[in-house]
Amino acid sequence: MKPRSRLPFYIGVFLLIAAGISLAVWRHVELGIPWLTGEQRPVWMIEARIDFDADNSAVQASLNVPADPPGFRILMEQAASPGYGFSILDKSGNRTAEWTKRDVSGPQTLYFKAQFVPAETVSKNIPSREPSARNVFWEEPQATAVREVLAQASERSSTPESMTRELIRLMQPDARTQNTTLLVSEENYLDLLVDMLNHSGIPARTADGLKLEDARRRQSLKPFLQIYNGEQWLTFDPNTGEQGVPDSLLLWRQGSASLLDVVGGDNSEVSFSMLRQTVPALQLATMEVDSNGLGFLSFYALPIEEQSMFRMLLLLPLGALMVAFMRIVIGIRTSGTFMPVLIAVAFVQTTLVPGLIAFLSVVSIGLMMRGYLSSLNLLLVSRISALIILVIFITAGLSIFGYQMGFNTGMTVTFFPMVIIAWTIERMSILWEEEGAHEVIVQGAGSMFVAICAYLLMSAPLAGHLTFNFPELHFVILGLILLMGQYTGYKLSELKRFTPMKAYD
């Protein structure tokens, strides 16, 4: 009979492992869940303060707020304005925080707070509708000067970006000519750049940026220049011509909308304070998942009680992987196939040393009582049932004893699976009668060794973090177990037994 090809099996295992790794990478990239525990992420808390004097009438204050600043993601927004109605409006692509109140008089102060998270990748600033350059009317002699300056900049450039940089260079004090001196003044410099670029056919606008420095107060916005190059909006420093948004710059306002409008008040002004904070990356990812509607992909959407249950259940595949490796590859004999996994789960609950003492105590006392039950010549079902009841009494006695002695070790014995312990005592007792005490010690020691190894793996903080936050990695564990199931070679523990054959050869 022709042997069945194993190629489909290996292809299936490969696809299983690849799917698990791919889903985990997607969860890390898209949802921001960190690979390691304890990772911290920076978060900037920005507070805008609005001050004005109300004139005994209804007040409406509107502050332009960021929608999607390049290089940052908005995590949280809130307002502190007692007695005012507050809402965030979206008008023609401009987001506005609006406060309203009737019959207001005297000095008023409003606050708007937002948390910004630096984005790992900066997306292109692509507008929803393609902008067009607006028409600008110039009177003489400014019209002639504008034409000559634009012609000079156009000769030395080939793209909208180079045209902008060249025009900024020509406007600098050390490069000014008679034409630029006629046009430029300190008050209209940025507006003049915007008008000249629009006149040349390049859509341009102003933007306001906030330089991020930790623990700074009463900061003002810095003006910037933006042009549309046919694909996206590009940002330039109007004084140096440097292109791009620095990492330490938050673009607060982009577009033609005014920064602050106050109806029913005078002497309005806005200032900014900022504070750099650090939060756990996992907490930040959980908050972002809830805000973007992907919470159904995470166990954090479940109640706390069920989360605790799944944190323990999702560790079991790691214990199964350890048992399979120890039995198939290493060749360690254990009492029962997956009894070490259950013992390891109990150790996770009780910690290693107290759990080890409690388990050995229960099994030792149970073996002595099993010897008495054996002398009664009971049937198997009756003997196991009686043994389960005795194990419960033993654990209860240890719990009471531990409580009276001031230890909580006995109280945690109840985490051990009673039925499995009863079967373990039964198996060891039969093994003692058939194979002797040596075999009982070998299998018992093997079970405890594998259980300790599984406990060390399952209790590692990284293991709990990965299994709970990346449950698709269990596909990888399943694939590894399937591969080990195909192993038919020598176990490591058998190498010593076959050493004389090597010497003979």
Side-chain angles (χ1 to χ4, degrees):
M1 181 177 178
K2 185 178 180 180
R4 179 182 298 178
S5 174
R6 291 187 178 181
L7 181 60
F9 169 78
Y10 289 118
I11 293 177
V13 171
F14 171 77
L15 293 177
L16 195 65
I17 295 176
I21 296 177
S22 300
L23 289 173
V25 171
W26 174 86
R27 190 182 293 268
H28 169 73
V29 174
E30 294 296 328
L31 305 183
I33 298 178
W35 292 115
L36 302 176
T37 59
E39 289 189 20
Q40 301 286 322
R41 294 282 300 278
V43 174
W44 286 95
M45 172 67 79
I46 309 297
E47 180 184 79
R49 172 174 173 167
I50 302 172
D51 295 291
F52 64 94
D53 295 324
D55 51 9
N56 289 322
S57 62
V59 169
Q60 178 179 332
S62 301
L63 175 67
N64 189 282
V65 296
D68 189 17
F72 291 88
R73 296 193 307 273
I74 300 176
L75 182 62
M76 178 275 298
E77 294 176 315
Q78 66 180 20
S81 48
Y84 279 82
F86 176 77
S87 59
I88 296 180
L89 308 177
D90 193 344
K91 301 178 181 179
S92 302
N94 294 315
R95 297 179 74 244
T96 303
E98 186 175 278
W99 292 264
T100 54
K101 188 177 181 180
R102 293 183 182 273
D103 301 329
V104 187
S105 62
Q108 302 292 310
T109 302
L110 306 175
Y111 293 94
F112 175 81
K113 296 181 181 180
Q115 285 183 328
F116 296 88
V117 182
E120 297 180 357
T121 58
V122 180
S123 59
K124 293 184 178 181
N125 192 0
I126 301 176
S128 57
R129 294 186 301 176
E130 184 172 354
S132 59
R134 57 183 173 86
N135 296 323
V136 182
F137 176 75
W138 303 90
E139 295 181 353
E140 295 294 348
Q142 284 85 2
T144 301
V146 167
R147 286 195 300 270
E148 293 183 2
V149 172
L150 289 178
Q152 185 178 1
S154 179
E155 292 177 358
R156 302 178 182 179
S157 61
S158 59
T159 62
E161 297 93 316
S162 58
M163 175 73 175
T164 303
R165 287 192 295 267
E166 188 61 27
L167 185 60
I168 293 175
R169 189 188 68 80
L170 291 175
M171 293 292 186
Q172 298 306 306
D174 56 351
R176 287 180 184 174
T177 62
Q178 183 177 359
N179 291 323
T180 55
T181 303
L182 174 65
L183 296 171
V184 178
S185 66
E186 293 184 1
E187 293 80 12
N188 73 340
Y189 171 65
L190 183 56
D191 293 333
L192 177 64
L193 280 177
V194 173
D195 290 341
M196 293 181 69
L197 288 169
N198 278 281
H199 186 74
S200 67
I202 300 175
R205 66 185 186 184
T206 60
D208 292 322
L210 186 64
K211 187 177 181 181
L212 298 178
E213 296 178 313
D214 189 20
R216 297 300 299 269
R217 302 174 62 250
R218 296 284 183 175
Q219 299 298 297
S220 58
L221 297 177
K222 180 181 179 182
F224 282 83
L225 172 67
Q226 287 188 329
I227 67 164
Y228 183 71
N229 67 346
E231 297 180 356
Q232 60 177 322
W233 285 103
L234 302 177
T235 304
F236 290 84
D237 189 322
N239 298 315
T240 63
E242 183 179 354
Q243 179 180 338
V245 181
D247 295 337
S248 60
L249 183 71
L250 172 67
L251 287 181
W252 186 272
R253 184 192 65 85
Q254 302 182 77
S256 58
S258 60
L259 175 63
L260 177 63
D261 292 318
V262 177
V263 178
D266 299 318
N267 303 322
S268 61
E269 62 177 3
V270 58
S271 60
F272 296 86
S273 302
M274 63 200 73
L275 184 65
R276 187 181 186 274
Q277 303 170 325
T278 56
V279 299
L282 182 58
Q283 176 185 348
L284 183 60
T286 304
M287 296 171 62
E288 292 182 325
V289 165
D290 293 338
S291 62
N292 59 23
L294 296 176
F296 68 94
L297 297 176
S298 172
F299 283 109
Y300 291 101
L302 299 175
I304 300 297
E305 184 177 356
E306 295 187 16
Q307 288 186 37
S308 302
M309 177 187 67
F310 275 105
R311 283 186 183 274
M312 181 58 61
L313 289 179
L314 292 174
L315 290 174
L316 290 178
L318 288 177
L321 177 65
M322 177 61 70
V323 172
F325 177 78
M326 288 295 183
R327 288 180 63 96
I328 297 174
V329 180
I330 305 299
I332 297 178
R333 288 179 290 175
T334 61
S335 179
T337 306
F338 287 102
M339 178 63 186
V341 179
L342 300 176
I343 299 175
V345 171
F347 287 167
V348 171
Q349 298 283 349
T350 63
T351 68
L352 182 59
V353 175
L356 192 61
I357 295 174
F359 179 77
L360 292 177
S361 301
V362 172
V363 173
S364 300
I365 299 174
L367 282 174
M368 290 188 292
M369 292 186 175
R370 168 58 177 79
Y372 172 74
L373 293 176
S374 179
S375 64
L376 299 178
N377 296 323
L378 299 176
L379 296 176
L380 177 62
V381 176
S382 298
R383 188 166 64 243
I384 293 296
S385 301
L387 194 57
I388 292 175
I389 297 174
L390 291 176
V391 168
I392 293 176
F393 275 108
I394 295 171
T395 55
L398 288 177
S399 297
I400 295 174
F401 177 76
Y403 178 76
Q404 295 295 332
M405 295 295 295
F407 301 101
N408 63 350
T409 303
M411 303 296 291
T412 56
V413 176
T414 55
F415 284 109
F416 287 109
M418 303 301 174
V419 177
I420 300 300
I421 289 183
W423 270 108
T424 300
I425 295 173
E426 176 69 17
R427 287 173 57 88
M428 286 186 175
S429 179
I430 295 175
L431 189 65
W432 191 305
E433 296 173 355
E434 295 179 352
E435 302 291 338
H438 179 266
E439 188 65 22
V440 172
I441 295 175
V442 170
Q443 292 192 15
S447 298
M448 297 308 301
F449 176 76
V450 175
I452 292 173
C453 293
Y455 160 78
L456 295 176
L457 177 62
M458 296 165 64
S459 63
L462 181 60
H465 171 78
L466 292 178
T467 54
F468 188 77
N469 294 285
F470 299 94
E472 52 275 350
L473 290 179
H474 289 87
F475 290 147
V476 180
I477 298 176
L478 177 59
L480 295 177
I481 291 176
L482 292 176
L483 287 177
M484 283 190 290
Q486 293 289 316
Y487 180 71
T488 58
Y490 291 114
K491 298 178 176 62
L492 294 180
S493 60
E494 296 176 335
L495 296 180
K496 182 179 180 181
R497 187 174 65 171
F498 291 102
T499 300
M501 295 182 60
K502 181 178 179 181
Y504 177 80
D505 291 340

